[in-house]
Amino acid sequence: MLKILLITFFAGMGAGLGTGFAGMSAAAVISPMLIAFLDMEPYMAVGIALSSDVLASAVSAYTYGKNKNLDIKNGLIMMITVLLFTVVGSYVARLVPSHTMGNFSVFMTLLLGIKFIVKPVMTTKEKMNEVDAKKRVIQSIVCGMIIGFICGFVGAGGGMMMLLILTSVLGYELKTAVGTSVFIMTFTALTGAVTHFAIGGLPNPFIWILCIVFTFIWARIAALFANKADAKTLNRVTGAILVILGIAVLFFS
């Protein structure tokens, strides 16, 4: 019992901080910890992680939205294309020889963390809003297609891909990028969780509830802090957390 409490607490803390600060998927942290320390079947571990991600992303999106750091319109457009092309990517992945891509999300987390520390995102909302509305819609569709296809093909890295593209390609201010990312992740995680449990059945309720609760609490704490921090501080904290989580997940997996 104590072991389960400790593992789910630290897994939820890592996942919640990653979600609240950087829009990172809980699956990148919770899954490897449940598999490594509780000997859980991988498919079920991913299902628990995705369901934990739903409420964590939702409360983060609410917090960012309340602070006017959320682009709902383009977020919805990107979400639809991400979901559609995740299916396409998954189908294509079945037609090609398997590749060793299990650490894709981990390395991406590490690299993105280093990027935020070395080259912080200092774009302002004023600069972000200078982009033509029609151009932004087209960019959202194209980027959603790319993110969805890669996530479906590789099977990981959705949150990190979105944050990278929103900040580096679409020129979003960091808080708005994270807010939009967790908004999208709320629905993609819900879709994934429902699919997992429909196919594989329900997991251990005790572990399931603990992961959801701990992830939710830490995501809320992280989102509150992130929305009050200045851009430079947020970049450094986000980068440090991503690097730490990347190293930790690499170690556990």
Side-chain angles (χ1 to χ4, degrees):
M1 185 72 73
L2 180 60
K3 181 181 178 182
I4 290 175
L5 276 171
L6 287 173
I7 297 305
T8 53
F9 174 80
F10 285 111
M13 180 173 68
L17 290 175
T19 299
F21 275 114
M24 182 179 177
S25 173
V29 180
I30 293 179
S31 301
M33 289 192 70
L34 294 183
I35 295 167
F37 295 108
L38 298 181
D39 297 318
M40 185 172 287
E41 194 269 323
Y43 191 85
M44 196 57 68
V46 172
I48 289 177
L50 287 170
S51 58
S52 301
D53 208 9
V54 176
L55 286 180
S57 293
V59 73
S60 297
Y62 169 77
T63 306
Y64 279 91
K66 192 176 180 182
N67 288 275
K68 302 186 187 322
N69 293 316
L70 172 59
D71 184 357
I72 295 179
K73 177 187 172 184
N74 291 297
L76 282 170
I77 293 170
M78 188 177 290
M79 179 190 72
I80 293 169
T81 52
V82 166
L83 290 173
L84 289 173
F85 277 81
T86 296
V87 176
V88 175
S90 299
Y91 179 76
V92 174
R94 295 179 60 189
L95 304 179
V96 299
S98 60
H99 294 83
T100 307
M101 293 181 174
N103 289 326
F104 175 81
S105 182
V106 179
F107 288 123
M108 192 165 186
T109 301
L110 278 169
L111 291 174
L112 196 55
I114 294 170
K115 187 260 182 192
F116 279 128
I117 295 172
V118 176
K119 190 178 180 182
V121 178
M122 301 303 290
T123 305
T124 62
K125 283 189 178 181
E126 290 73 22
K127 184 72 175 175
M128 184 187 84
N129 291 330
E130 288 178 4
V131 178
D132 180 71
K134 289 183 179 179
K135 181 180 178 182
R136 180 73 78 197
V137 169
I138 294 171
Q139 288 177 327
S140 298
I141 293 172
V142 173
C143 290
M145 291 166 64
I146 295 170
I147 294 168
F149 183 82
I150 292 175
C151 292
F153 189 79
V154 177
M160 294 296 93
M161 281 289 296
M162 271 186 276
L163 186 60
L164 178 62
I165 286 179
L166 286 170
T167 54
S168 300
V169 179
L170 299 184
Y172 273 59
E173 176 261 342
L174 183 55
K175 291 180 184 178
T176 307
V178 176
T180 305
S181 178
V182 289
F183 172 73
I184 296 170
M185 287 300 295
T186 301
F187 298 96
T188 56
L190 178 61
T191 303
V194 170
T195 302
H196 264 71
F197 295 146
I199 295 173
L202 296 178
N204 180 307
F206 185 57
I207 296 175
W208 189 17
I209 292 171
L210 285 177
C211 284
I212 290 174
V213 170
F214 288 139
T215 306
F216 176 86
I217 291 171
W218 284 102
R220 174 64 170 165
I221 293 171
L224 285 171
F225 177 85
N227 279 277
K228 291 179 181 179
D230 60 79
K232 197 170 185 179
T233 301
L234 182 57
N235 271 276
R236 287 176 176 173
V237 173
T238 301
I241 287 175
L242 289 177
V243 170
I244 292 169
L245 289 177
I247 293 172
V249 173
L250 189 62
F251 177 76
F252 293 139
S253 57

